Amino acid sequence: MKRREFIGGAAAGALAMPALARAEGAIEWKMATAWPTGAPGVGVNAQRLADRIGAMSGGRLTVKLFGAGELVPPFEVFDAVSQGTCEMGHGTPYYWQGKNPVFHYFTGVPFGMMAPEMAGWLQFGGGQALWNEAYAPFGVVPFYAGSSGVQAGGWFRRQVNSLNDIKGLKFRIAGLGGEVMRRLGASVVLTPPGEIFTAMKNNTIDAAEWVGPWNDIAFGLNKAARYYYLPAFHEAGPALELTVNKAKFESLAPDLKEIVRGAAMASAAETLADFTFHNAEAFAGLVAAGGTALRTWPEPVAEAMAGAAREVLAELAASSDLAGRIAASYGRALAHARAWSKWSDVAMLGLRNDHSVG
């Protein structure tokens, strides 16, 4: 798929819902997103979420979506929602970590929880209340809107055989993973999603992580570098979010509030399913096409990543009272998830891979 083709094709699929007649006294909101319009998984599901709110409300609340840069730049979506430039935003919390570093926890942390575990913590483990508290000073209400699932570690022009190969590497990597790589000697750059391919082709960066096979191929990253490292140590199940201006949300009728909540929950399930299926399909095509060299992190590099991650997370937890409380809550959930997954997901994957029946 050419880089530009996914925009028209994916967006067409997202807009399959019938046009709604505007109800009398209808409310129209704007949603700014951090993603190019129609981008696989992220842009498409933002549009589906916007459309679903209109359909569920019978046209009483409609949402007009703006892709990255159409209303505000991609990394200014949170500010736009906070300041009332738009009523809604679609992005991921660590894009706004400059507001408060605790936002990292609500996207995910290195060697952290996978998508179902993250959703469980937010919905049933106290994570949502802490997320609400973190966003409250900015007048923003957050809703979990799904995940890409396990992400890829990134595309590299040269192999990573040792820590020496990381030193001086110009690496596009987001979140706390970026801080980990910086401590290991990389020069970290956070290029907006729509500019990654150009930065790779222009040699502005040497390596880049984005999402996974589906998005990476759509953005042409497999044409920019040969070595594909899997998985992403820093994004086991990163969360996407729907953000809503708190004053605007509180002004809604009770049923419309529930529609927004329900639409976000539906989008969370749909988004993960979308990524799960299409990443597997895209990966099969990538392998069949040849030309890409699949790699895993060498054990000394992985251990160094883990050591740096422990330092980064300890510093984050000590940065404020709120950070400490979030770290404790997240840590308890992760410990329980790790113990259970050993006997559930990890065991089942090993059993399935060793005894294929399909």
Side-chain angles (χ1 to χ4, degrees):
M1 181 184 291
K2 294 180 180 178
R3 287 197 307 127
R4 295 182 181 275
E5 287 179 353
F6 73 81
I7 296 178
L15 296 170
M17 293 185 181
L20 294 169
R22 283 182 61 81
E24 185 176 350
I27 302 166
E28 182 174 273
W29 279 4
K30 296 185 291 293
M31 177 195 289
T33 76
W35 329 112
T37 301
V42 283
V44 168
N45 281 289
Q47 184 67 67
R48 287 175 178 150
L49 174 53
D51 291 344
R52 181 170 284 112
I53 291 171
M56 291 172 68
S57 69
R60 290 170 55 213
L61 174 59
T62 59
V63 180
K64 181 176 175 58
L65 183 140
F66 295 85
E70 293 176 3
L71 185 63
V72 295
F75 295 147
E76 294 180 18
V77 170
F78 185 88
D79 282 340
V81 176
S82 176
Q83 295 165 7
T85 303
C86 56
E87 292 81 8
M88 287 182 157
H90 195 281
T92 187
Y94 68 19
Y95 279 1
W96 344 117
Q97 59 84 28
K99 301 295 180 185
N100 190 329
V102 303
F103 289 7
H104 282 291
Y105 288 107
F106 303 106
T107 293
V109 301
F111 301 93
M113 286 190 276
M114 299 177 74
E117 299 163 345
M118 184 74 170
W121 173 59
L122 290 172
Q123 293 182 40
F124 301 106
Q128 184 66 54
L130 291 164
W131 197 6
N132 291 346
E133 183 178 350
Y135 277 21
F138 305 95
V140 174
V141 181
F143 298 91
Y144 180 66
S147 174
S148 61
V150 177
Q151 292 203 356
W155 296 88
F156 292 73
R157 289 201 178 88
R158 62 178 186 267
Q159 294 191 74
V160 177
N161 295 315
S162 71
L163 288 173
N164 286 333
D165 295 315
I166 293 175
K167 291 179 170 57
L169 186 78
K170 292 177 290 186
F171 190 13
R172 188 276 178 195
I173 179 171
L176 293 178
E179 177 59 20
V180 167
M181 295 303 287
R182 188 189 67 78
R183 294 188 185 205
L184 296 183
S187 175
V188 174
V189 181
L190 185 53
T191 307
E195 300 173 16
I196 298 173
F197 176 82
T198 301
M200 286 285 282
K201 293 299 286 184
N202 291 344
N203 296 318
T204 304
I205 53 177
D206 304 312
E209 62 81 33
W210 170 214
V211 181
W214 186 27
N215 292 78
D216 292 358
I217 292 170
F219 278 65
L221 301 191
N222 58 313
K223 305 296 184 182
R226 179 173 181 232
Y227 297 102
Y228 198 25
Y229 278 80
L230 301 136
F233 74 93
H234 65 302
E235 293 186 324
L240 298 168
E241 66 178 1
L242 170 70
T243 50
V244 185
N245 179 278
K246 185 176 182 180
K248 291 292 185 178
F249 184 71
E250 293 300 331
S251 73
L252 293 177
D255 64 324
L256 291 180
K257 291 179 183 176
E258 288 305 312
I259 284 169
V260 171
R261 290 191 185 97
M265 290 183 70
S267 184
E270 184 173 44
T271 299
L272 181 57
D274 203 7
F275 273 107
T276 301
F277 180 82
H278 287 104
N279 270 327
E281 292 285 296
F283 182 75
L286 184 69
V287 171
T292 295
L294 303 176
R295 295 290 186 270
T296 58
W297 302 109
E299 182 55 31
V301 173
E303 183 52 40
M305 290 171 171
R310 293 185 197 103
E311 294 177 359
V312 169
L313 291 172
E315 291 171 13
L316 176 56
S319 65
S320 69
D321 172 73
L322 178 59
R325 289 187 286 116
I326 296 172
S329 178
Y330 187 99
R332 283 192 299 271
L334 176 58
H336 293 159
R338 187 184 289 119
W340 168 234
S341 67
K342 177 181 177 180
W343 295 97
S344 57
D345 292 0
V346 175
M348 184 63 229
L349 287 170
L351 193 65
R352 184 178 74 179
N353 290 342
D354 291 343
H355 305 282
S356 176
V357 298

